[in-house]
Amino acid sequence: MKLRKPRGRVLVCVAAVLAVLLGAGTWTAVASDGPAPVHRSDRLMAVDGVRIDTSYFTAGGSGRRPAVLIGHGFGGSKDDVKSQAEQLARHGYAVLTWSARGFGKSTGAIGLNDPSREVKDVSRLIDWLAARPEVQLDKPGDPRVGVTGASYGGAISLLAAGYDHRVDAIAPQITYWNLADALFPDGVFKKLWAGIFINSGGGCARFEKQLCSMYDRVAESGKPDAAARKELEARSPSAVGSRIKVPSLLVQGQTDSLFPLSQADAAAKQIKANGAPVSVDWIAGGHDGGDEEGGRINGRIASWFDRYLKGDKAADTGPAFRVTRTGGVDSTDGAAQLRGASSDRYPGLESGGHPLALTGREQTVENPAGGAPPSISAVPGVAALSQLSGLGVGLSMDLPGQYAHFDSAPLTTARTITGAPKARVRVRSSSPDAVLFAKVYDVPPGGKQQVLPHQLVTPVRITGTKAGRTVELTLPAIDHKVEAGHRLRLVLASTDLGYASPAAPATYSVSAAGPLTVPTVPALRTASAGFPWWVWGLPALGALIAAVLLVPRRRSAAAPDPALAELPLRITGLTKKYARSADRYAVRDLSFEVGKGQVLGLLGPNGAGKTTTLRMLMGLITPDGGEIRVFGHPIRPGAPVLSRVGAFVEGAGFLPHLSGRANLELYWQATGRPTEDSHVAEALEIAGLGDALDRAVRTYSQGMRQRLAIAQAMLGLPDLLILDEPTNGLDPPQIREMRDVMIRYAADGRTVIVSSHLLAEVEQSCTHLVVMDHGQLIQAGPVAEITGSGDTLLVTSAEEITEALAGKVAALPGIGSAVRTGDGLLVRLDGATPAALISELLRLDVPLTGVGAHRRLEDAFLTLIGGQPA
């Protein structure tokens, strides 16, 4: 038995007694600033031949209390919900968390909430709670228990209520009602999200065999079959929907292309029909990113359980329906301001339909062979897309010839769409079936910067279209305000990046067959936006100023630093942990800065943290600690200062049938920025493509494609250009050309950061270096300073220098490292003098032929990182 030392005012003797009473496992008193500490017991429970890793949290006195089970998200573990468990324990609940099969320390194959496995595990956990002396019972063997969790854990909440009558209340978050509908909507394979499921689970082999076989089959064919749908439906709450008769708080995300609002809508309708109380809460975030409103939602869940587990009729469970709306941007930190709108009943997705006539002739749409290149709407994992669309910034892209569009007239008054718009269209195709992706844009006057709300799209498979067929489309459910003077645009595209399109080429003819009907909920009451703090703070000068400064603001961020306004980049204490790890770091306490006109090389062996650092710099992922400032502005997803940053990531795609110039123009149009701001001529001059610019991209060599990709990153002449492995796949002459491109770009005072493993090229093209290893900074400075560093010496010998000798030298006092190279032994001094080194080498009987400073970057790099390859 392992006993951790308790923190807080807990006697060790009491801890020891409790540990014995709790059985095998680990007991911990979690530190608390409140009157009572939270007691935690960790144990592995044996269930049907597998081990389920659990944690049990209690606080306060010895009286009986209701229990709460908290499930975790897919790919996570029980550790992800520890904070919520502690909060609920302090709130008077006995809380049990667990890692589902195949995750954390739990064993067994992943069954996607298989009723005979994961759902049965929850029933065994409820059995265990029923035997606890501190848990309130409704009758012997029946504890008073609620279940909550997000995503995967949200689904198990619903399933537990359907399969185990002892569950008394649930609060599932951002989850699915029918997993087959979520991953195979209308018979179209949601390939990107399905792939993320498999990868975040650790690979196909970690799943039940039939699930792995199903995924392989559908991924290969690109089309789900009946057996695949049946497999997923059997694991869905919808399979036992008629049995879920307990109070249910359904929290669903608006920025969620995985489990959209329609999933919660289906759940709400069924559970309400069963006679149970239901409330629906649409939060700002979701699987595609955004604010998950954790504090508010956790508080509402606690109140929900207070009402339906503790029987506290005074508990405020909130409105029957609430939706979070973006109320502008906080001028102090650039964060989105959130407001709630609510009503006393849940309106569903079809309330108050308002028809808008659509204009547009019949249009021809091509489905390209292989479904590529695809249109872009939501991109799983790129949270900034959905967040920015909520703020009125358009980031989707539809490709010429691959979509049809139909517009409404400009709205005479502003209108808020709350629910799922509908439209009727007629489709003919050269193939027996047609697959289209329907979406509704908000188009401002002038037609530029059209916005796809939350980047959502509805896939639809239409059968029997050779002779033509009219169908009604249900568009994605949204809550979005359309301003007066704006138009709505219905778009039907033949491809989408997130889905599998038919591989065979086809031609579709699409026409509008009726109006676009948009749902509205006039009864929604929107809370007023809060005043800036200074409006109400100025009268409270003096003693209240300190209190005002201590009031936390939602999603607060550091203000711009005027002193750094001319510095392209400063990174301070940057830290990022690996997912699901408390002590493993991808980047740790990294600090460096880059000045104007510098070409900085980012070097390090594989796994050094270079790519993670660049992703944080581009705002694609959020650091766990430290900060990044670009021209004095803090970086976060969607930060306005990112408009001054251009980036090239290996594998940029172009439309092969278009010229290089046309590709660049199309890309710039997709950004929605003015044409005159593109500086396309300057970017092309720097890239040096010459007459090739007007040729089709399919005729380009690899080097020309790379230079075109660099030109694309340089559009708008960003002040900071980030290039990740720009010379991959190039031959030596092309590499030299790429080197010249980088040098020319920085010549006018702009800054370039390049990550590369070609040390000789970095040495010739870069002015400064940052060397990383194991996520930490090893050395930074000018290239000449690093390559000519006097603390590294090259030792040559008349005899071969063995690995054993290198080890002996490395172990000498004052020696930082010793690495063998083709030229001899590179020794980095760490306190020792050259004379002392020579003395020790002679003592070791090394027949020296020379000891001197070296000048090659490769030698310096190998010395700094201990001999690992770049």
Side-chain angles (χ1 to χ4, degrees):
M1 179 177 64
K2 177 181 178 183
L3 181 67
R4 298 178 186 171
K5 183 178 179 181
R7 295 175 288 178
R9 303 182 62 183
V10 183
L11 297 177
V12 174
C13 59
V14 175
V17 171
L18 284 175
V20 172
L21 291 175
L22 290 171
T26 302
W27 181 90
T28 306
V30 180
S32 170
D33 295 330
V38 175
H39 305 284
R40 170 181 168 181
S41 173
D42 295 334
R43 61 172 31 77
L44 288 171
M45 295 186 183
V47 179
D48 295 338
V50 302
R51 295 189 304 276
I52 303 299
D53 185 24
T54 69
S55 291
Y56 184 54
F57 301 81
T58 56
S62 58
R64 288 185 178 268
R65 68 208 70 184
V68 174
L69 287 161
I70 308 179
H72 61 80
F74 197 81
S77 73
K78 65 174 187 176
D79 295 334
D80 299 337
V81 296
K82 174 176 174 254
S83 177
Q84 185 185 11
E86 292 173 359
Q87 291 173 15
L88 285 171
R90 292 190 181 99
H91 199 64
Y93 293 93
V95 184
L96 185 61
T97 66
W98 78 102
S99 295
R101 294 188 182 214
F103 297 109
K105 295 180 181 178
S106 294
T107 61
I110 299 169
L112 291 184
N113 286 333
D114 188 329
S116 64
R117 293 176 172 82
E118 284 92 345
V119 180
K120 188 176 180 181
D121 293 342
V122 175
S123 289
R124 299 292 77 78
L125 297 179
I126 295 175
D127 292 342
W128 185 85
L129 288 170
R132 300 300 306 170
E134 65 277 359
V135 173
Q136 180 180 344
L137 299 180
D138 291 330
K139 60 183 179 181
D142 184 358
R144 182 73 58 83
V145 61
V147 191
T148 186
S151 193
Y152 197 49
I156 203 68
S157 306
L158 289 158
L159 286 160
Y163 280 96
D164 197 315
H165 69 277
R166 295 174 295 178
V167 173
D168 298 292
I170 57 174
Q173 306 168 58
I174 59 172
T175 193
Y176 57 88
W177 178 249
N178 187 315
L179 188 56
D181 285 344
L183 293 182
F184 309 147
D186 206 23
V188 181
F189 180 40
K190 196 180 288 183
K191 63 178 182 181
L192 279 190
W193 270 120
I196 289 173
F197 257 103
I198 296 298
N199 290 331
S200 59
C204 205
R206 297 283 300 278
F207 290 73
E208 291 178 13
K209 289 183 178 179
Q210 66 268 34
L211 291 175
C212 184
S213 175
M214 177 206 70
Y215 173 76
D216 286 344
R217 186 176 71 249
V218 174
E220 183 176 350
S221 68
K223 184 178 179 180
D225 51 43
R229 283 198 61 89
K230 183 178 179 181
E231 194 79 60
L232 295 187
E233 285 175 342
R235 291 165 163 78
S236 299
S238 59
V240 288
S242 61
R243 304 184 206 167
I244 303 175
K245 302 178 181 180
V246 298
S248 303
L249 172 61
L250 307 178
V251 179
Q252 205 72 2
Q254 297 180 65
T255 55
D256 204 319
S257 59
L258 175 59
F259 303 139
L261 297 174
S262 56
Q263 292 284 320
D265 178 68
K269 289 177 178 177
Q270 178 64 70
I271 298 171
K272 184 177 181 181
N274 296 340
V278 177
S279 286
V280 178
D281 197 314
W282 291 358
I283 62 172
H287 284 90
D288 291 330
D291 192 337
E292 296 183 3
E293 306 179 65
R296 182 182 71 81
I297 292 301
N298 286 346
R300 187 170 186 188
I301 290 172
S303 296
W304 189 262
F305 287 153
D306 285 352
R307 172 67 182 86
Y308 294 108
L309 296 182
K310 290 182 179 179
D312 181 2
K313 294 185 179 180
D316 182 9
T317 59
F321 176 58
R322 184 192 187 281
V323 54
T324 295
R325 290 173 171 170
T326 300
V329 176
D330 189 333
S331 62
T332 61
D333 60 12
Q337 291 183 326
L338 304 181
R339 296 182 291 166
S342 59
S343 68
D344 296 331
R345 69 175 187 86
Y346 173 59
L349 303 182
E350 303 175 8
S351 175
H354 181 80
L356 298 171
L358 295 174
T359 60
R361 57 177 176 77
E362 183 180 67
Q363 297 165 51
T364 299
V365 177
E366 298 292 337
N367 177 58
S375 297
I376 298 174
S377 52
V379 181
V382 185
L385 292 182
S386 294
Q387 293 179 60
L388 289 177
S389 69
L391 293 171
V393 179
L395 292 165
S396 57
M397 182 172 72
D398 298 301
L399 302 176
Q402 292 180 203
Y403 72 94
H405 72 279
F406 307 95
D407 289 3
S408 74
L411 271 62
T412 55
T413 58
R415 185 176 300 276
T416 298
I417 303 172
T418 303
K422 292 192 173 185
R424 289 177 62 81
V425 297
R426 182 166 181 79
V427 180
R428 290 184 296 109
S429 70
S430 61
S431 55
D433 300 342
V435 172
L436 291 168
F437 300 90
K439 41 197 164 181
V440 174
Y441 286 94
D442 178 348
V443 184
K448 294 183 178 180
Q449 202 62 55
Q450 63 181 11
V451 171
L452 179 62
H454 302 297
Q455 305 297 124
L456 297 177
V457 61
T458 290
V460 55
R461 185 181 295 276
I462 309 169
T463 59
T465 50
K466 271 202 168 184
R469 185 177 171 192
T470 300
V471 294
E472 183 174 70
L473 307 176
T474 299
L475 283 300
I478 55 174
D479 183 77
H480 179 78
K481 184 177 182 180
V482 185
E483 299 290 350
H486 288 218
R487 291 173 289 131
L488 290 176
R489 174 172 293 163
L490 173 65
V491 167
L492 295 106
S494 60
T495 59
D496 190 90
L497 180 65
Y499 298 82
S501 300
T507 300
Y508 309 143
S509 296
V510 184
S511 57
L516 174 68
T517 302
V518 295
T520 60
V521 185
L524 275 175
R525 300 179 301 276
T526 302
S528 59
F531 289 109
W533 69 267
W534 47 266
V535 172
W536 50 264
L538 283 177
L541 293 173
L544 292 181
I545 288 180
V548 172
L549 294 176
L550 293 174
V551 172
R553 293 195 305 265
R554 178 182 287 130
R555 297 180 64 195
S556 62
D561 185 346
L564 302 177
E566 297 301 314
L567 186 68
L569 176 65
R570 172 177 285 180
I571 291 178
T572 307
L574 193 63
T575 297
K576 183 68 178 179
K577 294 179 181 178
Y578 284 106
R580 304 188 298 278
S581 174
D583 56 2
R584 293 181 64 243
Y585 293 84
V587 176
R588 187 168 190 174
D589 198 26
L590 180 67
S591 299
F592 66 88
E593 62 181 46
V594 188
K596 280 189 173 182
Q598 292 182 2
V599 180
L600 180 127
L602 188 60
L603 299 180
N606 291 334
K610 303 188 300 295
T611 298
T612 301
T613 299
L614 293 181
R615 292 184 69 198
M616 288 189 282
L617 172 55
M618 290 184 281
L620 298 179
I621 57 176
T622 303
D624 295 322
E627 71 170 3
I628 303 171
R629 286 185 179 269
V630 171
F631 296 103
H633 293 261
I635 291 298
R636 60 181 178 274
V641 75
L642 287 173
S643 64
R644 300 180 67 180
V645 179
F648 163 76
V649 178
E650 181 184 6
F654 298 105
L655 300 179
H657 61 286
L658 296 181
S659 68
R661 186 187 303 276
N663 269 280
L664 295 184
E665 290 173 348
L666 180 63
Y667 168 81
W668 189 256
Q669 289 171 12
T671 70
R673 295 165 65 184
T675 302
E676 58 271 19
D677 291 349
S678 68
H679 296 285
V680 64
E682 294 96 320
L684 292 172
E685 182 179 356
I686 296 171
L689 280 167
D691 295 338
L693 189 62
D694 295 312
R695 294 191 348 234
V697 169
R698 62 173 175 265
T699 67
Y700 283 18
S701 66
Q702 177 64 20
M704 293 167 66
R705 287 173 180 264
Q706 291 286 76
R707 277 190 284 165
L708 183 63
I710 298 292
Q712 179 173 289
M714 291 189 298
L715 288 179
L717 296 184
D719 297 304
L720 177 60
L721 183 64
I722 300 170
L723 307 176
D724 189 12
E725 297 287 357
T727 57
N728 271 6
L730 304 188
D731 58 31
Q734 293 169 337
I735 291 173
R736 286 195 297 273
E737 292 171 359
M738 191 61 65
R739 178 177 69 215
D740 294 339
V741 167
M742 290 186 287
I743 293 173
R744 286 198 300 270
Y745 191 79
D748 292 332
R750 292 181 289 266
T751 302
V752 179
I753 297 176
V754 56
S755 171
S756 177
H757 65 282
L758 297 179
L759 301 181
E761 285 307 313
V762 168
E763 186 170 11
Q764 295 179 65
S765 60
C766 293
T767 61
H768 291 70
L769 296 176
V770 166
V771 182
M772 296 177 63
D773 192 20
H774 293 95
Q776 295 181 296
L777 178 69
I778 302 300
Q779 193 163 348
V783 173
E785 180 181 302
I786 292 177
T787 58
S789 177
D791 62 359
T792 303
L793 302 177
L794 176 64
V795 175
T796 57
S797 169
E799 298 178 358
E800 180 184 0
I801 296 178
T802 64
E803 194 64 47
L805 175 60
K808 291 179 181 179
V809 174
L812 292 173
I815 301 300
S817 63
V819 180
R820 291 194 305 161
T821 72
D823 297 328
L825 183 69
L826 282 173
V827 180
R828 180 167 60 86
L829 305 181
D830 189 15
T833 64
L837 172 64
I838 292 172
S839 176
E840 291 292 341
L841 291 171
L842 292 175
R843 187 181 61 80
L844 292 171
D845 295 326
V846 177
L848 294 175
T849 59
V851 176
H854 69 90
R855 297 290 172 182
R856 293 172 54 206
L857 175 59
E858 181 179 0
D859 296 337
F861 177 77
L862 291 173
T863 302
L864 289 170
I865 56 92
Q868 302 176 65

